[in-house]
Amino acid sequence: MEIVRSQRRNGSDGSGSAASLPLYKSAPSLEFRLEEFGQYAIDRLRVLQAISDGLSRGKKPEEMENLVSEQWRANMKHQDADKTLRKDIISHFVLRLVYCREEEMRRWFLSMETALFRYRFRLQNAEAQKSIMNELQLQYNVLGNAEYETIKDKLTEAARSVNFTSNPETVFYKVPFEDVPELVASRRVFILKGFAFVPRNQVVSLVCTIFRSNISKALALTNRKWRAMIQDQEKDRIAPMVEALGNVYLGPDYSKPKDCAEISLKDINQLASTSFPLCMRHLFGKLREDHHLKHQGRMQLGLFLKGVGLKLEDALAFWRAEFSQKVGAERFDKEYAYSIRHNYGKEGKRTDYTPYSCQKIIMSTPSTGDHHGCPYRHFSEENLRAALNKMGVGGRAMDDIMDKVRNRHYQLACTLTFEATHGTSCETGINHPNQYFVESRKFFESKNKQSQPTA
Amino acid sequence: MTKEKEDNNRDDPMQIDSNRVPTGSLLTDYLRIYYGKFFPYTDMFKWLAYGNDGKHPGCDSSYFGRREFSFTINSDIDEVYLRFQSFFNASEMETSIKAKCPTKIDIGAVYTVDPAKRHAYAQSGFNPIERELVFDIDISDYDDVRYCCSGADTCLNCWPLMTIAIKVIDTALREDFGFSHILWVYSGRRGVHCWVCDSRARRLSKEQRSAIADYFHVYKGGENSLKKVTFSGPLHPFLARAYTDVLKNEFEKWVSTQKLFEHEERFHKILQLIPDESVVSELAEKWQGNSVRWEHLKHMLQSGSKKTQGLRRCIEEIVFSYTYPRLDIQVTKGMNHLLKAPFCVHPGTGRICIPIDPKKCEEFDPTSVPTVAQLIEELNANASIGADNYVEKTSLAASVHLFRTCFLEPLIKTCKDELENAYNTKIQQTKDSLNW
């Protein structure tokens, strides 16, 4: 960090506006101690991790707002508003250094910081929000009266479709549709000739897109600077701290299965019926039945099997055995083997792909002919009951699970399924299919040990 | 069985059976002639150069060469897929295609550097930077709602589903998103492709493409969900327009051509979409061999006498479930998804992938699209009567003409204007910065 002039109080370098929600436009010219470097980063990381957890549990926006407010208060807030701001800015920039170094890390950091910004923005009052929007130069995009008259019917129609009543007083912002991808994707705004008409109450999305894009560019730049210069310069001072911070909260990604967890082909059927979570059981079953799976299904199941410990040669044999019954061994070798090798990092860019987490699977969009996705989300109630029945779930447990599903708590439903099929409780909650598998194996292994006669 | 050595001797025309779909070495021989006489290299080059093929100082002569193509090549023994093909200009492209005679040509993205030289750069130096916004619609994705055909087949009864898709999406692309350079192409057997070529579209990021794909994504759910279309309130203007202008009437026609209410399994599927048991059983009881069922159903759902929550939009949900376009979302979301080039020959049918005029898409008949065999037969007929410009007297001429007038010419004009403006701006900026 540069150690130069002191920060201006009513500064425009991100600290201005309501002096409570910075935009982190540029690295601050602040002095601080090395201990603060690590501690501030960890405190902020707690907040980001809590956000990550909350999102994967499918919390609604109002719940997320509360979560952010609590977490911020618990970890970041100081009696002195200036001190809070200082910690806010320093911790953000330190974490930028930590998380700029790898693509997966950049993506995670970007998503969590944007989420954090989003909910903090929502918690600001109208004055503060307006001030931030001015900083982003959005005051130039307010819809003029003449144009409003020509499209007001459509604006009303669009508003009604998302349960919002607009009135002539509602301010609309006219921005290129590229600036509000989420609003376009969910059809929450009226668009005409490439422009989106964003009502004031939806402006959060617009602001967040701009924020996200700025941070994304900044991360790329920071990464370059880190590699080119800082990493070396700071190898005795900051670099080791940055490394350590990077290992703190990422959690297991299950891409490198533990040595003892290798599985072989002959065990796979047995394992599928006892230890696979429902999403993978379903894909596995369909593969056995149809001798085929579409691309996303192959990815979801294939990477899961890799995480479970299936080696490349065995994976190739497994998929060939199934697919060759439908398309022939030759076509398999020509068209499908490549992508399996690709998943194991043996082709192309040689990226070693990580198995999908629950969050990713829940957010996928299965379409005609697909069997991937999260059954708790994507199956009709009837089909889900039938599938759970086949697993041996019934009675009270079934009702509890269905209740969770109705309230969109898909991962909790899966956790209950685990508990019902294993007869034990799962303290940690399921947020990764491979975690389900690991916990299941742990359970069965300890059960086997117990049933073995002791000397 | 005629021996196909005669194609070496151009004066002696091949014996053609234009009703047979050529395969294997016959296909290769036909392709050789097709690529020799018919494939419109100059037009394809002009398109993909987007104005950079001129002499204007603002032109980027490396642009065309940074585009990825891929070839699928079939020999007697196997099939080979070659990615990262690139060409400096039309002539190189022509030479390569004629030499390799691919059964399929795909078009990929424009990269930061020539794809053939990608290994010379760090991984981070080779990225896609421009790519058309594309859509792929396959009629086999509608198998659960069409009863006349299934799989790769299509006929004039079910092809209207594609016409509907073109109308709904084309209108939205122009009206809502403001795009104007849009090319629709018949995929050769069972679907259509859409290429949106405005520069604004080519520069969209993955996230923005995703957003557009999701905007169009109304029919959702995999094999195991029952109800694929759910509307919880009034419709967004885009959906309302699609319904009023296209889907409502098309569904009425569909009811009749597919006899949806005359067979129990067929109308049972529709009843499954109604979230009110009492309505369903009342209807099932009253329907004992009567074709005013659809009117009856509509009346019941619209009368408002039932207060169940999910019923308000039930009719629209039914109509959308059957007729709304079903896109392959992944094709649209990716920036480097390779898509088949227009004017290829479809190896399964022999048909040429010709452009479709969206303004006249109702007149398009997939069963009368020219086949490669047919074109060669016409070529021979023209040659034997000594006509010159003989290619232009074949059935392909109309398609090439459509490509040029409706798509290529307006596109090139826009591109040239944009290049000039960009260049002038740059010059002005340099001048300004030089001012002391």
Side-chain angles (χ1 to χ4, degrees), chain A residues 222-282:
Chain A
T222 309
N223 183 34
R224 276 205 282 276
K225 270 205 220 153
W226 173 262
R227 288 183 190 289
M229 194 176 72
I230 310 175
Q231 187 176 21
D232 218 47
Q233 261 179 19
E234 290 290 342
K235 69 177 192 292
D236 298 321
R237 194 173 68 142
I238 291 181
M241 293 189 76
V242 165
E243 292 291 334
L245 282 167
N247 289 325
V248 163
Y249 278 93
L250 282 183
D253 61 4
Y254 300 98
S255 60
K256 307 223 179 331
K258 305 191 184 13
D259 330 60
C260 57
E262 275 178 19
I263 65 168
S264 68
L265 279 186
K266 60 178 171 56
D267 303 328
I268 210 172
N269 282 331
Q270 171 70 2
L271 288 170
S273 62
T274 58
S275 299
F276 281 14
L278 183 58
C279 53
M280 302 303 173
R281 263 180 78 109
H282 179 67

Side-chain angles (χ1 to χ4, degrees), chain B residues 310-329:
Chain B
L311 283 187
R312 290 184 59 203
R313 299 274 160 242
C314 206
I315 304 224
E316 285 96 326
E317 286 168 352
I318 293 172
V319 170
F320 272 75
S321 294
Y322 276 72
T323 58
Y324 181 85
R326 300 177 186 186
L327 313 173
D328 186 343
I329 298 290

Side-chain angles (χ1 to χ4, degrees), chain B residues 246-257:
Chain B
V246 182
L247 303 181
K248 194 164 160 208
N249 294 335
E250 290 294 333
F251 184 70
E252 300 287 337
K253 287 192 223 157
W254 195 251
V255 163
S256 136
T257 56

Side-chain angles (χ1 to χ4, degrees), chain A residues 83 100 115 167 173 215 234 239 259 276-277 283 301 326-327 376 420 429:
Chain A
K83 292 216 166 81
C100 70
N167 58 57
Y173 294 88
I215 302 289
E234 290 290 342
D259 330 60
F276 281 14
L283 282 167
L301 180 61
K326 180 129 189 230
V327 304
Y376 299 97

